[in-house]
Amino acid sequence: MLILECPYCGVMADETDLHGGGEAHLKRFGPGSSDDDFETYLFHRKNPKGVHFERWRHVSGCGKWFHAARNTMTLEVYGTYPAQTYEPPKDLVAKIKKKHPEWGGYE
Amino acid sequence: MRRYSAFAIAREAARYHTGWERAWKSPKPKKKYDVVIVGAGGHGLATAYYLGKNFGITNVAIIEKGWLGGGNTGRNTTIIRSNYLQDPSAAIYEKARSLYETMSQDLNYNVMFSPRGVMMLAQTEHEVRGYERTAHANALQGVKTEFISPQRVKELVPIMNINGPRYPVLGALWQERAGTARHDAVAWGYARACSDMGMDIIQKCEVTGVRQANGVVTGVDTTHGQIDCDKLAMVVAGNAGHLADMAGFRLPMESVALQALVSEPIKPCIDVVVMANTVHGYMSQSDKGELVIGGGTDGFNNYTQRGSFHHVEETVRALVETFPIISRLKMLRQWGGIVDVTGDRSPIIGKTPLGNCFINCGWGTGGFKSIPGSGWAMAETVAKGEPGSLAAEFGLNRFSEGRFIDESVAAGVAH
Amino acid sequence: MSTRLAQGGRLIDRSKPKNFTFNGKRMKGYEGDTLAAALLGEDQMLMGRSFKYHRPRGVVASGAEEPNALVNLGQGERFEPNQRVTTTELFDGLYATSQNHWPSLEFDVGVVNNYAARFLPAGFYYKTFMAPKAAWKHVFEPIIRKSAGLGQVPTEADVDRYEHYYYHTDVVIIGGGVAGLASALAAGRSGAKVLMMEQTHHWGGRAAVDGGEIDGQSVDAWIDAAVAELEGMENVTLRTRMMASGVYDHGYVLGYERVADHTPGDGRPRHRLWRIRTKQIVTATGAIERPLSFAGNDIPGVMLASAVRDYAVNWGVSIGDRTVVVTNNDDGYRTALTLKEAGMEVPAVLDARAEATGPLAEAARAAGIRVEAGKAIAKVHGGKRVTGVSVCLQAGEGSTLEEIKCDAVAMSGGWSPVVHMWSHCGGKLIWDEAQAHFRPDPNRAPTSHDGEAFVVTAGTASGAMSLAETLEDAYAAGKAASKAAGGKAIRKAGPKAEAEAEQPMAPVWIMPQGAGPQKRMKMWLDYQNDVKVSDVQLAAREGYESVEHTKRYTTLGMATDQGKLSNINGLAVLSDALDQEIPTTGTTTFRPPYTPISFGAIAGEARHEIFQPIRRTPMHQWHEDAGAYMEPVGHWRRPYCYAKPGETNEQAVHREVLNTRENLGLLDASTLGKLIVKGPDAGKFMDMMYTNMMSNLAIGKCRYGLMCSENGFLSDDGVVARIDEETWLCHTTSGGADRIHAWMEEWLQTEWWDWKVYVANVTEQLAQVAVVGPNARKVLEKLGGMDLSKETLPFMQWADGKIGEFDARVYRISFSGELSYEIAVPASQGRAFWDALLEAGEEFGVMPYGTECLHIMRAEKGFIMIGDETDGTVIPQDLGLNWAISKKKEDFLGKRAQQRSHMTDPERWKLVGLETLDGSVLPDGAYAVGEGNNVHGQRNMIGRVTSTYYSPTLKKGIAMGLVLHGPDRMGEVISFPTVDGSNTVIKARICDPVFYDKDGEKQNV
Amino acid sequence: MSNAVSALQGASFDGYCKVEEAGLTGMITLRGDLASDGVAKAVKAVTGAAMPGQGEVTEGAKGRVGWMSPDELLLIVDHADAAAIVEAATASLGDEHSLVVNVSDARAVYRVKGAACREVIAKLAPADTSVMQPGMLRRTRIAQIPAAFYLEDDETAVLVCFRSVAQYAFDLLKDAVEPGGEVF
C-alpha cells in the first residue's frame, strides 16, 4: 500500500487516491517512425529490478500526472516530480546514485 | 522409478514408510547438456517432460534459482479452463486442459485434476453478448462451452445470490470440463517424471550470465559454475526480463503483483469455480475446504511478492455481495505472486534474437492452466528449432506487426 | 477433570455469571471468561475433532495460537464457523457447537481415519486414487471433501454491519502487554501521536500471570498505573479488542477491531477495520510457547504449560487434579509452582535437561515437587482424556521407567517470539542458539517509502525473555520509534524489574531423543492438520527438502493457526532429517492476517445498496417510477425499456421503436459524456485527439468524430460541436466521459504540456434529452421559445436559446435516422424539462424509449456502436469509416499504428450488413464458417455478428457483422452455425449495413 | 429558476452527527494560471475572496474559493448567481487563457454537523482528517467515489461530490453516522 507525495498538492497521497501509469519519459513516435521505434514506444518497457522512473496520476486529488522514482525491489520512493519534463531532475538522480553507487543511472 | 499405488502405500505402511525413495534426484550439474531449461516451475518442467516424451531428448538440465515449483506454480488459484475467444489461445489452453485430464495417469502422480466446471457470470447485457460470442467461437474451436441461464447457475451454485440489488446474474458461460488441480502436485509430478527420464533438476542454482558466440547461445553461467548447452530455453515468470537482459534482448513486458487469498476451511458449499468479471472476483473451494479467491493486479511494477490490500478489499466485497453467506467466514491468508504482463496480455513463446535461445514467458494471470499445453508447445519449438502450430502465433514479432492476441475483448469491459 | 477453582481468576468477576450453551448443554461462566475458560470450568475438555484423522481434540493454548478448539458460534444470521474458543469472550446467551464430526463430538464415525492412519501418511493422496480416471472426480474427491473442511457452512446472510476507519498517526504499538505499555509510555512521553492496540479486552498481557515486581509494585498494580498514565495523555489512543492483522508497505497497518462480537445485536458495527498509516510501528507481540513432541502429545489434557498457568491465574480454572509438567526450560516450573500453590497435585516435573539446578527448579523442590532431570515422556495414556504418562530417559529410545497417573500434562518446549508483524513487510530473522528460536534481526528491519526502517520490536517479541530485559528493551523501542517519527527526546527513565537468574534452556525437538518410527508416528507437530514428526521425516526422505516443499507436502503449518505452534518444531525436525542447521532450512513466509479476519470486515460498508456507487441521471427517479427495466452501463443505470403492464420487455422495445419512428420518442441521454475543450491551441489538440479534422469545424456546426488509442484501435465516438473560436464541445459515449477526459488530460499534461488548452468535464452539469420522431419539432414548438425550423437550425448544427422557460442548448443531430433534437438543460432542471416534454407531447403520441430501442434504431440506420462493433481490436478502417479519417493530417493518435502491416492487411474482416434468408434474427455473437479447418483443427471462421436485432420497422432480423472481404462480397450468402444444440446453420446474405432510409430523408426534414 | 432542484432536495439524516444535503449550491470551475494577476482579480471581483494557496479555501462576501489543482479553482457561490458570475469572471479574464464553467448542477453538497464530523469522514476517506482545520480543503475520495471536503467550522464539514452519485454519498454518510458506530 504505497504512499507518494503529490508534487502539486503537497499531500502524501494514498495508493487508492492514485493511478499508476507505467514507465515515465517515454518518447512518442508517430507517423514516419520506423516499425522498431514504434514498437519500442508502445510496448518495450524498462522492467528493472531496482530503480524505476514511472508515472502516477493523483486521480482523486488534483487530477495531475506526476513522476516518481521508485525501487521495485524495496518499494522505496526516492522522490516525485512534475511530469512536464523529458528526464528526471539531476538532483534526484544524484541522490539515488549516492544511495546506490552500483546503479547505472538514468538512461 | 517405483510406481505409486494403493498397494505401494500398504507395503510401505508395514515398515512405517521408511522405504520410500526420492521423488526426484538432486544431482550435481554436468558440464554440458543438449538443452538447458532455466526455470523449474510448471512450465519449465513440462517443457522438459515433453522434450523427453515427445522428442526423446533427455540430456536436459532444468536450472532453478529457488526450489522447484516455488514461483507462480505454487501461488495461484489453480483454475484450469480453456474457454478463450481467440483461436490461438483456445488451441493452446484446450491442449493444456485435455492433457490435465490424463495427467495423473501419465505421470503416475495424482495431481487431483477436478473437472468440476467453471462458470463466468454475465452480469450486464454487454457481458451476455460477449459470452455468447465466446460460446459460438468455442463451438467452432472444439472447446465445449455453453451459455447457461440464471436458473441453471443457481442450481449449480445454490449459495449464489443471483438477484443481487446491484448486478443480477443474467447467465453464465459454462465449461463443464474445466476445473482445478493441485498446483504443487503438477510441479512435483513433472519433476519426478523428468528425473526418472534421467534429466537433472538443479535447484538453488541461479543463472548469472548467458554465454554466446557468433549470435548463437553456448551456455549459461550459474552460481554452480558454467554449464554448456546446444539449446537454451528460458521458461521463467517474474524474471524473464532480467534473463532477456543477460541475453541481450528486450521483452514487451512488465512485472506486477497479483493478489490471492484463502478462507478458513469449511464443509463443502460450492462445487464449481465461479468467476465474476464485472465485480472483479473469482472463487472456488479447495478439497481441504478453503475458499480460494483471486483478486486483481496492482497498477505498478513490483517484484516484492507482496501486494496492496485494496485489491483484496475489492475482491472480497464483490464476493460477499455475490455469496452473502460468506460474510462471517474469515480470510486465513493472503499472498501475492509476480506475474509478467505483455502488451496484449497474451504469452510469448518462440525464438529470440539470440540463436538457439528460446523463450516462454508473459503468461500473466493465465499461467497455471496452460502448463501442459505450454510445455508441449515449447518442447516442440526447442526440439525443432521452429515454433509449431500451437506456438506459432505467440511469437515476439506480433508486436511490431500489430497482430495481437487480445483476450480482454470478451471480458465484458464496458466501453 | 477440569474445574473452576474456589478462588482466583484475576480477569473474571464472579458476581456476574453468564449463561451459555455448548452442544445443547446449558453451562455457566463468568464475566471476563473466554469461552475456553468457561468450558474448562465446566469440565468440557473435549472440544473438537482434528482435520484428517478426526482425533479428539481439547484446548491446548490460551490465546490466538490455539489450533484445536474451534467451534461453530451463534445461529442463523449470526452463525460463524471456526471460532477459536480461546479468543471468544463469554457473553450471556452464547451458543456454540463443536465441529468436524458426525454424528457427535463424543462418537465420530470419521475417526476410522485414525485407525487407518498408518495408511494415510503425508501426501498419500498424491500416490493413489489415480485409477480409474473418472474415480477422482466422482468417488474419491467427494469423500475427501466431505471429511475435510472444518466448520459448518452458514446458511443465512449476515445480519451485522461492518465499517472501516482511516487513521493517521506517528507510532502504532501492537500489543498491550507490559512491553507494549512500556513502549507506549516512552512514545507517549515524547509527544508523538500514538495508537496502541491490544487484541484481548484487557491490558497487561501475560506478565501478571508470571508474577514479579515492576518499579517495586506488583505487576498488576504497575499495569493499572501505566494504563492510567497513558489514558491521561492526549496524544495517546488506547484500543482493546483490536488486533493488528497485517503490516503492509509504507507504514500501512490493518487493525481488526472486534467491536461487538461479545455484544451481538446491540446495534454497533460488529467489526471495524482500521486502515492505519503510521510512521513507525512497535511490535510488542510477545512470544508463543512451543509444544514438545512426544507420543500422544495431542490427547486432550495435554496443554502448553503457560496455558495451564493462565487458566489457573486468570480465570481460576484448573485443567486437572494431577498435572505432570514436562519441560526443557525453567519456565515450566512456574506452572508447577502455580498449581501447587493453588492446591493441585503435581506428581512430577520431568525436565529433559541433564540437570535441573536453576532457582526455579530449586523452588519447586522446596515446594515439595518431585523434579526428575534428564527425563522425558515416553507416551501419554488416554483417549479422549489423559489418564497418565510413561516416563523414560530423554537420552534413550523410550523404554518406560515408570508410569505416573495424571489427568493433565503441562508441556513447555521453550518460547518463540511472535515475529509476524515484523516479517509481513520483509523484516528478516536470525536464529538465536541460546533460546533456540528465530528472533527479529534489528539490522534487517522492513523499510518504508523513505528507505528507512519503520518497524521495531519490543520485549519478548525481540527475544528479550525476562521481565527485566523486556521492560528495558520495550522502553528503548518506544523511544527509538517515537524519535524516528519526530517525537522529542525524553529523559524520564523507563520501568525496571529485578533480573532473575535462570538455568539455560536446552533444545528438545523430539522426546525421547532416540524415539523409533512407531513413536514418531504418534508425535504431533500440527494438531489441527494431523501432521506428525514421521510425516516431516517422510517428506525429507522423499526429496521435499525445501521448507516450502515440506510444508506443502505435509500441510504442516497450513491450518487455521498458520503454524503458530508447529512451525519451529517442524523446521527443527526437518533440519535434523536433512542433517543441516535450522537457519539453513529457514522459515516459511509469514503472510497476513495474523489470525483470520472476517470477510464482512474486509468488505466494510460496501454492501447491498452501497456495494458500489450507482450513477443516476436527474430523471432517474422518473424511470424507476415508470417501472423501467434498468440496465447497468458502467456505473450508470439506464432504462432498457419501459414495459407496460402485461407487456414483455421485447414487446415494449418494439412498441418504442415504432412509436418513435411514427410519432415521438424521448430518450434520457444525460449519460452521454460532454467535455469542453478550450484554448488557443484547442484546434490543434482536437486534431490530434480525433481521426477527423476538427480544427476547421465551423462555429455553430456539429461533426461526428472518432477517437483511437495509440495502438490504432477505435476507442470512442461522438458528435463534436464548435462553440466559439477557441471552444469545442465533445460528446463521448455513456461509459466514456471519465475515460476520455482522463485521456485528454494525460496528453495535455504529459506530452503537449506547452499547448494552451483547458478541458472541463461538464457531463453531469447537463441533463440531455433526445426528442425524436416526426413530431419532434411540433412538441418543441408547442413549448415555445427559440426557432427550431429547418432553415434556422439545419441538420448537424446547434443553437443556444430557450425552450419554454428552460435554458437550452439544442443539437440537431440524429442517432436514429428520424428528425431529432438533442437538448441539454441544466441538470437541476432536467426532471422538470422531462416532465414538460411528456406533458406537451401527449397530443403527439410521446413515449419515452430505452437503450434497446436506441440500439435497434441505430442498427436499422447502420450506425456503429462502440462496444458492439468495436471490442478493442477493431480499427475504424474495419468499419468502413475511412470517410472519418483525415488524410490531410500529418498525425493523430493512432495514425502510426494503423500503418503497421497487420492493420493494412486486406484479410482483415470488414463491416457489412447481414440479412437472414428466412428473416429470422441471427444469434448474438454468431460466427460465420468457411471451408475446412485451420492449423489447430478448428473450423475456419470468416466473420462474426457484431449487432443483431429484430427490426420492428422492417419486420425482420437485421444484423451487422465483420466479414472477410465482406464489402467485396455483397449479395453472397454465408453460414452461421448455431450453438443452441439444434445443430442448425443460419444462412445470411451480405448486404449494405444501412437498412432504413438510406438517403437520410427522414432526419433532414 | 423555480424548476431547479438539487439532487436530493435537502434530504437529511440524524445520526450521531447530522447529515444534510445542502440544496442548490452555485459552483464554478475556473482554470487558468493561478499566479496571474488576472485570475486573482477576477476571483476577487466575483467572490470578494482572496486567492487560496495550495490546499486552501478562502471566503469572501459573495462566496468561497477553493484550490483544486495548480491550475484550477472552485468558486462556491449562490446558485442563482452562478451563471452571471461565470459571465463576469469570463469577461474579467478577457483574453487571458482560461476556462470558466458553471458546474453547479454537476455537484451535490453535504454538511456533516457534530463534534465528530472529522471522524465520520475518516470512515470513508483515506485523507488525514485530524489535521484539517477551517480554511483547508482536501480532494480525495469517499469509499468508491471522488470527493472534496472542507470545514466551515470545527463542527461542520462540507463535502462535495458529483451529482450522479449523490444518493450513494448520502447513503454512505448515513451509514457512517449510524448511532452505535461512534469510534471514540
Side-chain angles (χ1 to χ4, degrees), chain C residues 581-752:
Chain C
E581 298 293 314
I582 290 173
T584 309
T585 306
T587 66
T588 53
T589 314
F590 294 88
R591 301 279 190 184
Y594 176 59
T595 69
I597 65 174
S598 67
F599 285 143
I602 297 170
E605 85 295 329
R607 339 182 60 178
H608 313 312
E609 287 305 320
I610 48 176
F611 162 58
Q612 272 183 359
I614 291 178
R615 299 178 73 181
R616 293 171 165 88
T617 72
M619 291 80 109
H620 184 98
Q621 194 58 49
W622 190 92
H623 306 320
E624 286 203 343
D625 294 345
Y629 169 62
M630 306 292 272
E631 99 168 294
V633 179
H635 281 172
W636 295 102
R637 284 284 179 92
R638 300 192 71 186
Y640 176 92
C641 67
Y642 303 83
K644 292 181 172 171
E647 217 177 27
T648 64
N649 284 345
E650 191 182 10
Q651 289 167 336
V653 169
H654 295 168
R655 169 178 53 73
E656 290 170 12
V657 171
L658 292 173
N659 186 68
T660 306
R661 293 229 181 271
E662 287 161 14
N663 299 302
L664 179 58
L666 296 184
L667 175 79
D668 179 358
S670 306
T671 57
L672 276 187
K674 295 153 225 107
L675 306 173
I676 293 175
V677 177
K678 186 194 172 197
D681 296 317
K684 183 162 73 164
F685 177 67
M686 290 291 288
D687 282 347
M688 286 303 296
M689 288 285 119
Y690 285 87
T691 61
N692 7 22
M693 191 74 93
M694 287 295 176
S695 54
N696 66 359
L697 179 62
I699 293 169
K701 297 238 162 144
C702 301
R703 182 174 289 163
Y704 173 73
L706 305 174
M707 295 176 124
C708 291
S709 65
E710 266 291 64
N711 213 355
F713 299 118
L714 186 52
S715 101
D716 210 74
D717 69 346
V719 171
V720 174
R722 181 80 179 265
I723 306 300
D724 61 31
E725 194 53 43
E726 285 198 350
T727 312
W728 282 253
L729 184 134
C730 309
H731 285 107
T732 74
T733 56
S734 286
D738 293 327
R739 181 170 53 89
I740 299 300
H741 181 213
W743 174 241
M744 289 181 170
E745 282 290 343
E746 180 175 348
W747 285 99
L748 286 171
Q749 291 177 34
T750 66
E751 187 71 23
W752 304 310

Side-chain angles (χ1 to χ4, degrees), chain B residues 17 22-23 68 105 109-110 114 116 133 166 182 265 267 287 305 313 327-328 331 334 409, chain C residues 82 100 118 126 130 141 148 158 160 248 275 541-542 544-545 549 552 591 597 612 637 871:
Chain B
H17 301 282
R22 294 181 65 97
L68 71 88
Q105 292 73 34
Y109 201 103
N110 189 356
S114 170
R116 53 182 63 188
R133 175 180 168 191
R166 192 64 182 84
R182 175 87 185 97
K267 292 295 175 189
D287 289 345
Q305 295 194 338
E313 269 177 32
S327 174
R328 294 177 93 89
M331 174 171 82
Q334 66 163 114
V409 305
Chain C
N82 298 330
N100 201 33
R118 198 155 159 187
Y126 298 124
M130 284 178 278
E141 185 178 45
D158 189 353
D160 277 315
Y248 299 80
R275 302 191 268 195
R541 187 175 309 128
E542 294 193 273
Y544 299 88
E545 296 172 346
H549 283 155
R552 289 151 183 261
R591 301 279 190 184
I597 65 174
Q612 272 183 359
R637 284 284 179 92
D871 63 2

